[in-house]
Amino acid sequence: MGAPVDDPWAEAAGAARRRLVAALTAEGRLPDPAWRAAFAEVPRHLFVPYYFVGVSGGYERLGCDDPDPLRREDWLLGAYEDEPVGIRLRDGELVSTASQPSLMAEMLHALDARDGDTALEIGTGSGYNAALLCHRLGDGRVTTVDLDTDITDAARARLARAGRHPVVVTGDGARGCPERAPFDLVVATCAMPEVPPAWLAQCRPGARIVAPLSTGVLRLEVADTSRAEGRFLHTSAYFVPLRGALPPPPGVRTAGLPRQALDSDLFRFLLTLTAGSLDPYEAYALWRREGRPQRERYGVTVAGDRQWAWLDDPEGPYAWPLGSPPARG
């Protein structure tokens, strides 16, 4: 690793970073010393020199280049809050974000990374997550992909400023990166409606995939290039959708459903997971009958050109197709 460039914010950022790591550690988010060291040493503020925070009617920009010193201080402190921040707007909509650090920590721990593993990241974003992977695995073992040249160019520059040099690729994340395969780890920082088959095809047997699906985070273990299975983590997750070759997720109908159901994050997870394959009223009846199940009771199986979500048992009575055409009736 090359040394980071001179950083006028280094001292203040170091103090803010120590507070963040202490808070995440106290919450049990950083049990692995290797990831704890990564969060303690990788300077998040270098990857978000400006960002957008939601305000009434849209977004407000905070940046290191603000002429107001108090707003510059707000920018720096905000870079080390346990909150997601928007890093790119298009037509008033966020198209790229820097994820919440505690959620990033949970997803990275779920990879069960081992020395010598190679990793594919889908959704380069700011480059911060790639830098954490580089710290754990080594720069040459990390490949990160994003669809837009402006995103990858900016991330590559920020990574270099932080002294990190993974392979940064501009391309469709749903297609993976076959020229760098095979991989032991795949982690996505964008939501997907199904598991892209290309990811499995580029994985070694035993590889781990951690990716947002519905409003949760799915962890798959890969058996071979056409089969994988796993369950959701307990946490909720709301990511910008994966853009590229995959079709958009089906719409979710909510008309007539009870407010108590729509106010439940767990029910919205089931509703989104089964959209297009389970009537919303049937989903509500199932959710109540099964005791409002937590995310960990749900999973996904990929088997060749079929993939389906399920509750409790992949071969049980509650299973719903993912993808198009349907994976299972």
Side-chain angles (χ1 to χ4, degrees), residues 182-201:
F183 299 102
D184 302 290
L185 312 171
V186 177
V187 59
T189 57
C190 43
M192 56 185 188
E194 60 185 89
V195 182
W199 294 2
L200 269 65

Side-chain angles (χ1 to χ4, degrees), residues 196-256:
W199 294 2
L200 269 65
Q202 294 168 31
C203 280
R204 292 188 177 94
R208 284 80 67 199
I209 296 174
V210 175
L213 193 152
S214 178
T215 63
V217 176
L218 177 64
R219 183 190 189 276
L220 294 172
E221 294 213 6
V222 177
D224 55 44
T225 56
S226 63
R227 184 173 180 87
E229 190 168 272
R231 290 181 180 265
F232 285 86
L233 307 186
H234 74 280
T235 186
S236 62
Y238 296 87
F239 283 83
V240 172
L242 174 67
R243 295 175 296 128
L246 288 183
V252 177
R253 293 186 293 112
T254 61

Side-chain angles (χ1 to χ4, degrees), residues 30-41:
L30 291 172
D32 184 336
W35 288 119
R36 195 180 313 137
F39 277 83
E41 296 173 26

Side-chain angles (χ1 to χ4, degrees), residues 16 29 56 64-65 67 103 107 131 134 145 174 203 215 223 237 262 301 305 314:
R29 309 279 192 166
S56 178
C64 63
D65 56 353
L103 179 56
M107 293 176 67
C134 287
V145 179
C203 280
T215 63
L262 296 177
T301 299
D305 60 357

Side-chain angles (χ1 to χ4, degrees), residues 214-215 250-255 257 261-262 264-284 287 298:
S214 178
T215 63
V252 177
R253 293 186 293 112
T254 61
L257 289 169
L262 296 177
S264 168
D265 184 59
L266 290 173
F267 177 68
R268 292 198 305 273
F269 167 74
L270 173 62
L271 195 62
T272 306
L273 184 65
T274 60
S277 59
L278 184 64
D279 180 86
Y281 305 102
E282 293 175 0
Y284 177 59
W287 181 68
Y298 297 92

